[in-house]
mmCIF file with all atom_site columns, all heavy atoms in Angstrom:
data_model
loop_
_atom_site.group_PDB
_atom_site.id
_atom_site.type_symbol
_atom_site.label_atom_id
_atom_site.label_alt_id
_atom_site.label_comp_id
_atom_site.label_asym_id
_atom_site.label_entity_id
_atom_site.label_seq_id
_atom_site.pdbx_PDB_ins_code
_atom_site.Cartn_x
_atom_site.Cartn_y
_atom_site.Cartn_z
_atom_site.occupancy
_atom_site.B_iso_or_equiv
_atom_site.pdbx_formal_charge
_atom_site.auth_seq_id
_atom_site.auth_comp_id
_atom_site.auth_asym_id
_atom_site.auth_atom_id
_atom_site.pdbx_PDB_model_num
ATOM 1  N N   . TYR A 1 18  ? 2.271  120.959 105.430 1.00 0.00 ? 919  TYR A N   1
ATOM 2  C CA  . TYR A 1 18  ? 1.637  122.013 104.652 1.00 0.00 ? 919  TYR A CA  1
ATOM 3  C C   . TYR A 1 18  ? 0.852  121.500 103.441 1.00 0.00 ? 919  TYR A C   1
ATOM 4  O O   . TYR A 1 18  ? 0.111  122.200 102.799 1.00 0.00 ? 919  TYR A O   1
ATOM 5  C CB  . TYR A 1 18  ? 2.673  123.038 104.164 1.00 0.00 ? 919  TYR A CB  1
ATOM 6  C CG  . TYR A 1 18  ? 4.031  122.450 103.874 1.00 0.00 ? 919  TYR A CG  1
ATOM 7  C CD1 . TYR A 1 18  ? 4.263  121.624 102.764 1.00 0.00 ? 919  TYR A CD1 1
ATOM 8  C CD2 . TYR A 1 18  ? 5.113  122.716 104.728 1.00 0.00 ? 919  TYR A CD2 1
ATOM 9  C CE1 . TYR A 1 18  ? 5.505  121.067 102.503 1.00 0.00 ? 919  TYR A CE1 1
ATOM 10 C CE2 . TYR A 1 18  ? 6.363  122.189 104.467 1.00 0.00 ? 919  TYR A CE2 1
ATOM 11 C CZ  . TYR A 1 18  ? 6.551  121.383 103.378 1.00 0.00 ? 919  TYR A CZ  1
ATOM 12 O OH  . TYR A 1 18  ? 7.783  120.803 103.107 1.00 0.00 ? 919  TYR A OH  1
ATOM 13 N N   . HIS A 1 174 ? 4.662  116.311 97.749  1.00 0.00 ? 1075 HIS A N   1
ATOM 14 C CA  . HIS A 1 174 ? 4.715  117.687 98.229  1.00 0.00 ? 1075 HIS A CA  1
ATOM 15 C C   . HIS A 1 174 ? 5.834  117.853 99.234  1.00 0.00 ? 1075 HIS A C   1
ATOM 16 O O   . HIS A 1 174 ? 6.498  118.895 99.278  1.00 0.00 ? 1075 HIS A O   1
ATOM 17 C CB  . HIS A 1 174 ? 3.383  118.031 98.923  1.00 0.00 ? 1075 HIS A CB  1
ATOM 18 C CG  . HIS A 1 174 ? 2.177  117.894 98.076  1.00 0.00 ? 1075 HIS A CG  1
ATOM 19 N ND1 . HIS A 1 174 ? 1.757  118.855 97.201  1.00 0.00 ? 1075 HIS A ND1 1
ATOM 20 C CD2 . HIS A 1 174 ? 1.292  116.882 97.955  1.00 0.00 ? 1075 HIS A CD2 1
ATOM 21 C CE1 . HIS A 1 174 ? 0.646  118.452 96.592  1.00 0.00 ? 1075 HIS A CE1 1
ATOM 22 N NE2 . HIS A 1 174 ? 0.351  117.257 97.046  1.00 0.00 ? 1075 HIS A NE2 1
ATOM 23 N N   . PRO A 1 176 ? 9.288  116.916 101.443 1.00 0.00 ? 1077 PRO A N   1
ATOM 24 C CA  . PRO A 1 176 ? 10.587 116.282 101.199 1.00 0.00 ? 1077 PRO A CA  1
ATOM 25 C C   . PRO A 1 176 ? 10.936 115.118 102.104 1.00 0.00 ? 1077 PRO A C   1
ATOM 26 O O   . PRO A 1 176 ? 11.884 114.400 101.841 1.00 0.00 ? 1077 PRO A O   1
ATOM 27 C CB  . PRO A 1 176 ? 11.559 117.474 101.403 1.00 0.00 ? 1077 PRO A CB  1
ATOM 28 C CG  . PRO A 1 176 ? 10.863 118.382 102.316 1.00 0.00 ? 1077 PRO A CG  1
ATOM 29 C CD  . PRO A 1 176 ? 9.427  118.293 101.941 1.00 0.00 ? 1077 PRO A CD  1
ATOM 30 N N   . GLY A 1 224 ? 5.567  119.395 93.975  1.00 0.00 ? 1125 GLY A N   1
ATOM 31 C CA  . GLY A 1 224 ? 5.059  120.675 94.392  1.00 0.00 ? 1125 GLY A CA  1
ATOM 32 C C   . GLY A 1 224 ? 6.125  121.658 94.871  1.00 0.00 ? 1125 GLY A C   1
ATOM 33 O O   . GLY A 1 224 ? 7.331  121.443 94.719  1.00 0.00 ? 1125 GLY A O   1
ATOM 34 N N   . ASN A 1 225 ? 5.664  122.739 95.473  1.00 0.00 ? 1126 ASN A N   1
ATOM 35 C CA  . ASN A 1 225 ? 6.498  123.864 95.799  1.00 0.00 ? 1126 ASN A CA  1
ATOM 36 C C   . ASN A 1 225 ? 7.710  123.520 96.695  1.00 0.00 ? 1126 ASN A C   1
ATOM 37 O O   . ASN A 1 225 ? 8.783  124.110 96.541  1.00 0.00 ? 1126 ASN A O   1
ATOM 38 C CB  . ASN A 1 225 ? 5.675  124.923 96.589  1.00 0.00 ? 1126 ASN A CB  1
ATOM 39 C CG  . ASN A 1 225 ? 4.778  125.705 95.657  1.00 0.00 ? 1126 ASN A CG  1
ATOM 40 O OD1 . ASN A 1 225 ? 4.894  125.643 94.434  1.00 0.00 ? 1126 ASN A OD1 1
ATOM 41 N ND2 . ASN A 1 225 ? 3.887  126.516 96.242  1.00 0.00 ? 1126 ASN A ND2 1
ATOM 42 N N   . TYR A 1 226 ? 7.524  122.613 97.608  1.00 0.00 ? 1127 TYR A N   1
ATOM 43 C CA  . TYR A 1 226 ? 8.545  122.445 98.654  1.00 0.00 ? 1127 TYR A CA  1
ATOM 44 C C   . TYR A 1 226 ? 9.592  121.395 98.360  1.00 0.00 ? 1127 TYR A C   1
ATOM 45 O O   . TYR A 1 226 ? 10.449 121.129 99.172  1.00 0.00 ? 1127 TYR A O   1
ATOM 46 C CB  . TYR A 1 226 ? 7.837  122.143 99.998  1.00 0.00 ? 1127 TYR A CB  1
ATOM 47 C CG  . TYR A 1 226 ? 6.963  123.293 100.464 1.00 0.00 ? 1127 TYR A CG  1
ATOM 48 C CD1 . TYR A 1 226 ? 5.617  123.322 100.209 1.00 0.00 ? 1127 TYR A CD1 1
ATOM 49 C CD2 . TYR A 1 226 ? 7.536  124.372 101.158 1.00 0.00 ? 1127 TYR A CD2 1
ATOM 50 C CE1 . TYR A 1 226 ? 4.818  124.392 100.603 1.00 0.00 ? 1127 TYR A CE1 1
ATOM 51 C CE2 . TYR A 1 226 ? 6.764  125.436 101.564 1.00 0.00 ? 1127 TYR A CE2 1
ATOM 52 C CZ  . TYR A 1 226 ? 5.403  125.433 101.292 1.00 0.00 ? 1127 TYR A CZ  1
ATOM 53 O OH  . TYR A 1 226 ? 4.624  126.487 101.699 1.00 0.00 ? 1127 TYR A OH  1
ATOM 54 N N   . LEU A 1 227 ? 9.499  120.805 97.180  1.00 0.00 ? 1128 LEU A N   1
ATOM 55 C CA  . LEU A 1 227 ? 10.535 119.845 96.806  1.00 0.00 ? 1128 LEU A CA  1
ATOM 56 C C   . LEU A 1 227 ? 11.625 120.504 95.998  1.00 0.00 ? 1128 LEU A C   1
ATOM 57 O O   . LEU A 1 227 ? 11.363 121.328 95.120  1.00 0.00 ? 1128 LEU A O   1
ATOM 58 C CB  . LEU A 1 227 ? 9.909  118.729 95.961  1.00 0.00 ? 1128 LEU A CB  1
ATOM 59 C CG  . LEU A 1 227 ? 9.040  117.687 96.680  1.00 0.00 ? 1128 LEU A CG  1
ATOM 60 C CD1 . LEU A 1 227 ? 8.758  116.524 95.747  1.00 0.00 ? 1128 LEU A CD1 1
ATOM 61 C CD2 . LEU A 1 227 ? 9.687  117.192 97.941  1.00 0.00 ? 1128 LEU A CD2 1
ATOM 62 N N   . LYS A 1 228 ? 12.836 120.155 96.332  1.00 0.00 ? 1129 LYS A N   1
ATOM 63 C CA  . LYS A 1 228 ? 13.996 120.625 95.570  1.00 0.00 ? 1129 LYS A CA  1
ATOM 64 C C   . LYS A 1 228 ? 14.619 119.457 94.820  1.00 0.00 ? 1129 LYS A C   1
ATOM 65 O O   . LYS A 1 228 ? 14.134 119.076 93.769  1.00 0.00 ? 1129 LYS A O   1
ATOM 66 C CB  . LYS A 1 228 ? 14.984 121.330 96.508  1.00 0.00 ? 1129 LYS A CB  1
ATOM 67 C CG  . LYS A 1 228 ? 14.390 122.611 97.130  1.00 0.00 ? 1129 LYS A CG  1
ATOM 68 C CD  . LYS A 1 228 ? 15.329 123.275 98.090  1.00 0.00 ? 1129 LYS A CD  1
ATOM 69 C CE  . LYS A 1 228 ? 14.687 124.522 98.733  1.00 0.00 ? 1129 LYS A CE  1
ATOM 70 N NZ  . LYS A 1 228 ? 15.561 125.149 99.735  1.00 0.00 ? 1129 LYS A NZ  1
ATOM 71 N N   . GLU A 1 230 ? 15.368 116.464 96.610  1.00 0.00 ? 1131 GLU A N   1
ATOM 72 C CA  . GLU A 1 230 ? 15.366 115.380 97.578  1.00 0.00 ? 1131 GLU A CA  1
ATOM 73 C C   . GLU A 1 230 ? 15.133 113.993 96.931  1.00 0.00 ? 1131 GLU A C   1
ATOM 74 O O   . GLU A 1 230 ? 15.683 112.971 97.400  1.00 0.00 ? 1131 GLU A O   1
ATOM 75 C CB  . GLU A 1 230 ? 14.291 115.576 98.651  1.00 0.00 ? 1131 GLU A CB  1
ATOM 76 C CG  . GLU A 1 230 ? 14.568 116.754 99.573  1.00 0.00 ? 1131 GLU A CG  1
ATOM 77 C CD  . GLU A 1 230 ? 14.036 118.068 99.020  1.00 0.00 ? 1131 GLU A CD  1
ATOM 78 O OE1 . GLU A 1 230 ? 13.496 118.060 97.880  1.00 0.00 ? 1131 GLU A OE1 1
ATOM 79 O OE2 . GLU A 1 230 ? 14.155 119.085 99.721  1.00 0.00 ? 1131 GLU A OE2 1
#
Side-chain angles (χ1 to χ4, degrees):
Y919 33 70
H1075 303 277
N1126 283 351
Y1127 295 96
L1128 287 191
K1129 295 178 181 177
E1131 292 87 357

